[in-house]
């Protein structure tokens, strides 16, 4: 630590870093700067406020002071907040599991005669649920073979693939100040176009996959272009238009599936023919594991998005428009162009999420093709603070939660919906670090309020 | 100049040179779109129906004061006449624009009725004994709009104070859940009806906690709360309610026909022969319309939503107003959620609101953040759903999936400026920090 840091006259936490205080600022700018600003402050780097704090008392530094300030840095770091947010979510999820457990309710009836019964029933309910989740999502220690042990994690990565793609697209939108709720519709349209390439055209291997992947991206891009151009030309709010386009896409797909061209021969259900195997992502670790090439394409896309947003002029424009559209316009950037491009890129990425489904795990078109990936991706992007690396990890975490569904059902007899509860609580807690600090009685850093999603 | 100012209010501020042509285009957009729709109606419904067919409409019930017989009209002529009327209205709208006159709200309404009549005539043509049930259609529209009206009123109450409420969906679902559980546990649907707003208010409280106290992005909180409520209700549905079937029964609320009024043909069954929740909806719209624009409370709420700093300067507690309004809004949406369970006589089902909250959100924006507008837009959506059901019964020539898209497409057109500029409360979405 330098002398400056210990100097008692060090100014208090800089009030000037208050990026969002002006209430008069245009709404859009404030909204996005909260999103962007929050993620900027989310890093682990000690901020001036944190280091300045240790010297505030003005006492000479001793060894124990040093240790205390280190402890303080740890307790004030946002990584700890993330971990504690996950812990708090699991605790609340556990309370819900206890409340819903039949055994707990039965034993509660004679709580005063044999309290141990109820406590052990509570413990059983929670531990069986969470161990089933762990076994189903990451590592199954009970399995006989090595492949059985790691299979859950492979499933998790497969499940994470659409979440990575769609989360990346939404993340770009958030950083550019666009709140795109339309990933669901973009996934559907991407999967639809990709599926049409997959079962209507019969191209040579290799080329077929590439064309199908491009078809997915194109379908999503078209569905992203519509709200983008409407926003740029008429100011129509993207939250409303994307929500509406989700429903339009779903109904459109339902309509297509009634047509003869989309009917699987010999089937009465609304489902398309199975895609040519030449158009599907190959399975990377052989047929016994579901993980397909799409996961690696997703990782590559994450790198591409990082490069776009951090290293390219275009990405700089996106971020500038997101942080302050008026200033960007003054600087000669076209806000309209940026809006349309961001939505097209976000749509294309969501369309690729559709490819993770239709060309990867579910090679036949049904109305359930998008599952709930479009909505889950919103929480993924928020948890990942709109940064590619964060999104990859968040997608793997939530992919794991999703993948644990069957295990949860079979081992613990619980519906998978508990996963939604835990997932949404995690995002809520991470968005409000002061609440987490309050719950765990952690000290309040000086720049507390700025660390908000 | 004033037109330029008006145009730039609703959208993001554009550089001024672009404004003039945009405004000119905007003035002509309405007549052009009306004209195109009328022409499509003429070609598809008018000329597209066969010459010799007839369509029968039935409008009255046996219990009315006097009955009107089912009447039969020649399909093709009816559709053509209705379409021509629509075309004439489009022409009138174009004339009004060229004269810089304003047309009243009646024009799009009459236009819509004319096109709908053409559509019904076309769809019901040559169906023999199957009548188009006009009264049934309109009754369905009113009933189906109940959750939408409560949801969009919830949006109005929250957004007028500056809090964006995306969590309407979650509030509806929470209301539906608690109404079913409490109603079943007590065996009385009316107690369930009282419980529903409590559940919605709880979701509203969470929204207020995170947005007002912790300044989290309001859209983020709304989206996440929706997921949370879906998760909690579905989980409890799959555990608690599965193990205790008596906690989730089909309860129904009796219709309470209003004496005399309910006997009037068409209007009676459509408006005055419903259960308590529908009458509560009328009351809510009326009370909120007056309170929001004529009372001190309403003035304060709007001041907080438009310019919180100014409101604070004159001594209005900004954040307290926002918290109260968010909770009140949640309670309203929760009450609307009761529609899905106790007021419809159904048990709770997983994710049974199925996106209604989002349509309510769109209805609020279409209604330009006013209770009366929200009512009109919600009834429009309700009518679209009822129409889909009706055409499903008589066997429609249009695939039902395409028809189901219609309200969403209309909404997109509407927010893109067809219906005119909608300007949200200025301070919406921005946390108030002293």
């Amino acid at each position: 630590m330098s002398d400056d840091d210990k100097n008692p006259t060090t100014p208090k936490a800089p009030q000037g870093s208050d990026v969002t205080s002006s209430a008069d600022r245009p709404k859009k700018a404030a909204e996005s700067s909260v999103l962007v600003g929050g993620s900027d402050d989310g890093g682990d780097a000690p901020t001036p406020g944190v280091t300045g704090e240790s010297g505030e008392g003005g006492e000479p530094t001793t060894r124990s002071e040093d240790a205390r300030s280190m402890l303080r840095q740890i307790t004030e770091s946002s990584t700890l907040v993330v971990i504690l947010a996950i812990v708090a979510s699991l605790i609340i999820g556990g309370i819900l599991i206890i409340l819903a457990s039949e055994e707990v309710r039965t034993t509660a009836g004679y709580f005063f005669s044999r309290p141990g019964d109820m406590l052990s029933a509570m413990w059983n309910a929670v531990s069986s649920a969470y161990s089933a989740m762990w076994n189903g999502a990451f590592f199954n220690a009970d399995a006989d073979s090595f492949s059985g042990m790691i299979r859950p994690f492979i499933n998790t990565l497969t499940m994470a693939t659409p979440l990575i793609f769609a989360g990346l697209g939404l993340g770009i939108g958030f950083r550019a100040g666009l709140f795109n709720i339309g990933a669901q519709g973009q996934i559907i349209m991407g999967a639809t176009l990709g599926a049409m390439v997959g079962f209507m055209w019969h191209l040579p291997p290799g080329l077929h996959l590439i064309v199908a992947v491009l078809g997915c991206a194109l379908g999503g891009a078209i569905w992203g272009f519509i709200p983008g151009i409407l926003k740029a030309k008429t100011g129509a709010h993207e939250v409303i238009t994307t929500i509406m386009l989700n429903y339009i896409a779903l109904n459109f797909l339902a309509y297509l599936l009634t047509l003869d061209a989309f009917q699987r021969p010999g089937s009465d259900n609304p489902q398309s023919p199975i895609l040519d195997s030449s158009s599907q992502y190959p399975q990377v670790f052989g047929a016994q594991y579901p993980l397909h090439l799409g996961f690696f394409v997703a990782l590559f896309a994450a790198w591409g998005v990082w490069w776009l947003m951090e290293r390219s002029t275009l990405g700089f424009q996106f971020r500038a428009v997101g942080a302050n559209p008026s200033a960007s316009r003054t600087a000669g950037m076209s806000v309209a162009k940026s809006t349309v491009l961001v939505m097209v890129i976000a749509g294309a990425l969501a369309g690729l999420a559709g490819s993770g489904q239709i060309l990867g795990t579910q090679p036949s078109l049904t109305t359930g093709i998008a599952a709930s990936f479009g909505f889950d991706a919103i929480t993924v992007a928020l948890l990942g603070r709109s940064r590619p690396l964060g999104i990859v990890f968040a997608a793997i975490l939530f992919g794991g939660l999703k993948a644990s569904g069957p295990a949860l059902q079979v081992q613990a007899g619980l519906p998978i919906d508990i996963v939604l509860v835990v997932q949404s609580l995690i995002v809520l807690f991470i968005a409000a670090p002061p609440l987490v600090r309050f719950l765990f009685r952690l000290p309040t850093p000086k720049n507390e309020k700025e660390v908000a999603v | 100049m004033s037109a330029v100012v008006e145009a730039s209010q609703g959208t993001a501020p554009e550089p001024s040179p672009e404004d003039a042509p945009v405004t000119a285009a905007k003035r002509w957009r309405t007549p052009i779109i009306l004209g195109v729709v009328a022409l499509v109606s003429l070609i598809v419904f008018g000329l597209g129906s066969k010459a010799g067919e007839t369509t029968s409409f039935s409008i009255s019930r046996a219990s009315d004061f006097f009955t009107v017989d089912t009447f039969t009209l020649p399909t093709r002529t009816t559709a053509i006449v209705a379409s021509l009327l629509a075309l004439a209205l489009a022409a009138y709208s174009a004339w009004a624009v060229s004269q810089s006159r304003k047309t009243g709200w009646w024009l799009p309404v009459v236009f819509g009725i004319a096109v709908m009549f053409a559509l019904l005539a076309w769809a019901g043509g040559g169906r023999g004994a199957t009548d188009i049930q006009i009264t049934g259609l309109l009754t369905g529209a009113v009933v189906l709009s109940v959750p939408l009206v409560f949801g969009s009123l919830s949006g109005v109450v929250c957004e007028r104070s500056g809090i964006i409420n995306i969590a309407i969906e979650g509030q509806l679902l929470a209301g539906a859940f608690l109404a079913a559980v409490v109603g079943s546990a007590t065996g009385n649907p009316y107690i369930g009806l009282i419980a529903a707003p409590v559940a919605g208010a709880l979701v509203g409280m969470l929204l207020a906690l995170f947005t007002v106290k912790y300044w989290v992005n309001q859209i983020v909180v709304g989206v996440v709360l929706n997921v949370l409520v879906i998760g909690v209700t579905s989980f409890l549905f799959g555990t608690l309610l599965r193990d205790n079937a008596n906690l989730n029964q089909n309860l129904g609320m009796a219709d309470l026909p209003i004496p005399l009024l309910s006997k009037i043909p068409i209007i009676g069954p459509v408006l005055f022969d419903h259960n308590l929740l529908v009458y509560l909806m009328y009351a809510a719209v009326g009370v909120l319309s007056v309170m929001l624009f004529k009372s001190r409370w309403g003035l304060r709420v709007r001041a907080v939503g438009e310019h919180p700093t100014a409101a604070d300067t004159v001594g209005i507690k900004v954040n307290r107003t926002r918290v109260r309004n968010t909770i009140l809004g949640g309670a309203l949406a929760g009450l609307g959620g009761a529609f899905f369970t106790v007021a419809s006589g159904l048990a709770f089902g997983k994710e049974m609101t199925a996106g209604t909250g989002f349509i309510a959100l769109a209805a609020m924006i279409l209604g330009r953040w006013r209770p009366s507008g929200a009512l009109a837009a919600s009834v429009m959506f309700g009518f679209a759903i009822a129409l889909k059901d009706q055409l499903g019964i008589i066997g429609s020539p249009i695939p039902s999936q395409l028809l189901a898209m219609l309200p969403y497409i209309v909404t997109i057109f509407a927010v893109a400026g067809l219906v005119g500029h909608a300007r949200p409360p200025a301070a919406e979405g921005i946390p108030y920090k002293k």
Side-chain angles (χ1 to χ4, degrees):
Chain A
M1 287 184 111
S2 74
D3 273 282
D4 273 359
D5 287 334
K6 288 172 263 165
N7 190 343
T9 58
T10 304
K12 279 192 170 187
Q15 301 297 320
S17 67
D18 187 358
V19 282
T20 58
S21 67
S22 165
D24 295 334
R25 208 191 257 195
K27 170 188 156 215
K28 204 65 248 172
E31 231 177 66
S32 52
S33 69
V34 172
L35 277 169
V36 174
S39 17
D40 277 336
D41 291 342
D44 295 326
T47 50
V50 174
T51 43
E53 170 125 347
S54 65
E56 212 159 75
E59 292 157 26
T61 309
T62 62
R63 191 171 292 269
S64 71
E65 270 295 297
D66 254 3
R68 203 178 298 165
S69 87
M70 211 160 111
L71 187 70
R72 175 158 284 210
Q73 277 196 20
I74 293 172
T75 55
E76 287 175 0
S77 82
S78 61
T79 313
L80 187 70
V81 169
V82 171
I83 294 169
L84 290 180
I86 295 175
V87 171
S89 310
L90 290 177
I91 291 174
I92 296 182
I95 294 173
L96 199 61
I97 291 170
I98 289 172
L99 285 179
S101 158
E102 188 69 51
E103 200 191 335
V104 172
R105 259 175 286 134
T106 320
T107 51
Y110 54 91
F111 176 74
F112 289 105
S113 51
R114 289 177 65 188
D117 278 13
M118 181 174 159
L119 293 178
S120 74
M122 284 163 72
W123 170 249
N124 281 342
V126 175
S127 65
S128 72
Y130 286 139
S131 68
M133 264 191 195
W134 175 261
N135 288 344
F138 293 106
F139 187 79
N140 186 3
D142 304 337
D144 304 331
S145 61
F146 176 70
S147 81
M149 287 180 186
I150 61 161
R151 186 188 299 279
F153 189 63
I154 304 271
N155 282 339
T156 292
L157 295 183
T158 316
M159 209 57 114
T161 306
L163 291 175
I164 297 176
F165 276 125
L168 288 170
L170 296 178
I172 294 179
F174 294 164
R175 294 181 74 186
L178 290 168
F179 210 91
N180 167 15
I181 314 242
Q184 189 76 7
Q186 291 150 11
I187 292 175
I188 290 176
M189 294 312 279
T192 304
L193 212 61
M196 286 167 70
V197 173
F199 67 78
M200 287 183 178
W201 296 357
H202 305 287
L203 302 172
L207 181 67
H208 201 174
L209 176 62
I210 293 171
V211 176
V213 171
L214 290 179
C216 288
L218 179 67
I222 293 171
W223 225 238
F225 173 76
I226 299 172
I229 193 81
L230 286 174
K231 168 101 182 170
K233 292 289 173 199
T234 70
H237 202 295
E238 75 276 6
V239 170
I240 304 301
T241 48
T242 50
I243 289 171
M244 295 299 130
L245 284 168
N246 285 344
Y247 289 107
I248 295 175
L250 185 61
N251 279 305
F252 183 62
L253 175 58
Y255 166 69
L256 285 181
L257 289 174
T258 63
L259 301 179
D260 287 343
F262 281 78
Q263 188 57 47
R264 184 187 299 180
S267 164
D268 289 334
N269 297 326
Q271 51 185 3
S272 79
I274 295 175
L275 274 66
D276 292 3
S277 62
S278 59
S279 69
Q280 295 176 25
Y281 285 126
Q283 276 158 318
V284 182
F285 298 132
Q288 65 184 113
Y289 296 112
L291 191 70
H292 51 77
L293 191 63
F295 177 71
F296 297 95
V297 180
L299 292 184
F300 180 74
W303 176 83
V305 167
W306 171 83
W307 185 87
L308 172 78
M309 294 307 278
E310 307 294 339
R311 291 288 179 273
S312 74
T313 320
L314 195 64
F316 177 74
Q317 278 193 21
F318 291 170
R319 285 185 289 142
V321 168
N324 191 337
S326 312
S328 317
R329 190 179 295 115
T330 313
M333 300 173 189
S334 165
V335 176
K337 191 183 114 189
S338 156
T339 304
V340 175
L341 269 178
V342 165
M343 285 305 298
V344 166
I345 295 173
L349 283 165
L352 287 175
S355 84
Q357 283 287 90
I358 193 79
L359 308 180
T361 45
Q362 200 194 331
S364 161
L365 205 55
T366 63
T367 48
I369 187 72
S372 62
F373 283 114
F375 296 110
D376 296 340
I378 299 174
T379 47
V380 165
L382 293 174
L383 180 59
R385 295 186 181 245
S386 303
R387 296 298 193 281
L389 191 62
I391 287 170
V392 170
F393 283 122
I396 292 175
L397 177 66
F398 284 177
L401 288 177
K402 263 177 118 62
S404 67
L408 207 53
Q409 198 103 48
V410 174
Q411 291 185 23
L414 289 173
I416 188 181
D417 308 290
I418 189 70
V419 164
L420 288 180
V421 177
V422 173
Q423 194 173 321
S424 51
L425 286 173
I426 291 176
V427 178
L428 271 183
F429 281 126
I430 285 178
L435 180 61
V436 177
R437 293 187 198 285
F438 170 75
L439 287 177
F440 290 93
R441 300 291 187 277
L442 292 180
T444 314
K446 285 291 173 190
N447 61 341
E448 172 91 308
K449 286 281 187 178
E450 302 316 315
V451 190
V453 168
Chain B
M1 189 58 211
S2 69
V4 173
V5 172
E6 199 184 306
S8 60
Q9 270 179 345
T11 58
E14 303 254 307
S16 49
E18 282 181 27
D19 266 350
V22 167
T23 330
K26 241 165 219 149
R27 283 171 48 216
W28 285 102
R29 191 180 292 159
T30 309
I32 289 173
I33 293 182
L34 291 185
V36 169
V37 172
L39 271 179
V40 169
S41 161
L42 184 64
I43 293 167
V44 176
F45 306 141
L47 306 177
S49 48
K50 293 200 185 72
E53 287 177 347
T54 57
T55 309
S56 29
F57 295 90
S58 98
I59 51 175
S60 54
R61 306 179 305 175
S63 59
D64 293 341
F65 283 137
F66 56 92
T67 51
V68 181
D69 286 338
T70 302
F71 57 92
T72 304
L73 296 172
T75 302
R76 189 165 192 179
T77 321
T78 312
I80 289 180
V81 169
S83 303
L84 285 178
L85 174 65
L87 208 55
L89 286 170
Y92 171 75
S93 148
W95 175 80
V97 168
S98 72
Q99 299 289 311
S100 302
R101 284 191 194 200
K102 286 208 165 177
T103 54
W105 57 269
W106 59 269
L107 191 136
V109 173
V110 178
F111 181 88
I113 292 173
V115 173
M116 276 306 136
F117 206 66
L119 173 99
L120 287 176
W122 170 69
R127 306 264 163 199
T130 319
D131 304 338
I132 301 269
Q133 306 280 341
I134 292 188
T135 310
L137 189 61
L138 294 177
T139 311
V142 169
V143 170
L144 291 169
S145 67
V146 168
L148 296 170
V149 171
F150 278 111
S152 50
L153 286 181
S154 158
V156 170
V157 170
C158 293
E159 300 213 358
R160 281 284 178 179
S161 75
I163 301 288
I164 301 175
N165 187 3
I166 303 273
I168 299 172
E169 173 81 1
Q171 292 159 350
L172 286 171
L173 192 60
F177 178 81
L178 202 63
V181 171
V182 172
S184 305
T186 57
N188 185 344
Y190 291 97
I191 297 179
L193 194 66
I194 296 171
V198 176
L202 280 175
V203 181
M205 260 183 210
L206 282 178
L207 180 65
L209 172 76
F210 280 95
T211 55
V212 177
K213 185 157 168 46
Y214 294 116
W215 305 345
V216 186
N217 182 302
Q218 299 174 356
I219 298 181
V220 171
V221 182
V223 169
V224 175
L225 282 180
N226 287 337
V227 180
L228 180 65
V229 176
I230 290 176
V232 171
T233 54
S234 302
F235 178 75
L236 292 178
F237 176 70
T239 50
L240 197 63
L241 301 190
R242 188 198 54 192
D243 300 337
N244 305 280
N246 58 335
L247 282 182
N248 191 20
Q249 303 164 2
N250 301 323
L251 299 166
M253 285 167 32
D255 280 351
L256 309 167
I258 295 180
L260 294 179
L261 287 178
S262 62
K263 302 279 189 201
I264 307 170
I266 301 187
I267 298 174
V270 170
L271 293 180
F272 302 114
D273 188 3
H274 292 292
N275 62 35
L276 182 63
L277 190 62
V278 178
Y279 301 129
L280 284 178
M281 172 185 90
Y282 299 155
V285 173
V287 169
L288 273 180
S289 301
V290 174
M291 287 297 282
L292 208 48
F293 296 104
K294 304 276 185 238
S295 77
R296 183 170 11 174
W297 171 80
L299 184 64
R300 291 184 171 178
V301 165
R302 286 181 291 135
V304 166
E306 294 292 343
H307 205 314
T309 322
D312 196 10
T313 312
V314 297
I316 302 171
K317 299 266 184 294
V318 172
N319 283 334
R320 191 197 285 170
T321 309
R322 287 186 168 179
V323 169
R324 284 181 179 173
N325 271 43
T326 312
I327 295 173
L328 172 66
L332 275 170
L335 185 59
F339 166 84
F340 294 96
T341 49
V342 289
S344 300
L346 295 172
F348 180 81
K350 202 176 156 178
E351 292 181 49
M352 70 186 312
T353 49
T356 311
F358 291 111
I359 302 178
L361 190 71
M364 175 203 67
I365 291 175
L366 267 179
R368 302 192 206 178
W369 288 269
R370 287 170 166 272
S372 51
L375 174 72
S378 301
V379 172
M380 193 264 298
F381 282 119
F383 180 80
I385 304 169
L387 181 69
K388 192 186 94 183
D389 295 348
Q390 173 103 113
L391 292 188
I393 292 167
I394 63 171
S396 128
I398 321 170
S400 67
Q401 295 89 353
L402 293 186
L403 209 58
M405 281 185 205
L406 201 63
Y408 309 123
I409 295 175
V410 169
T411 308
I412 289 183
F413 272 113
V415 293
L418 169 65
V419 175
H421 268 294
R423 197 187 64 80
E428 184 184 271
I430 307 168
Y432 181 67
K433 308 173 185 176
K434 269 196 179 168

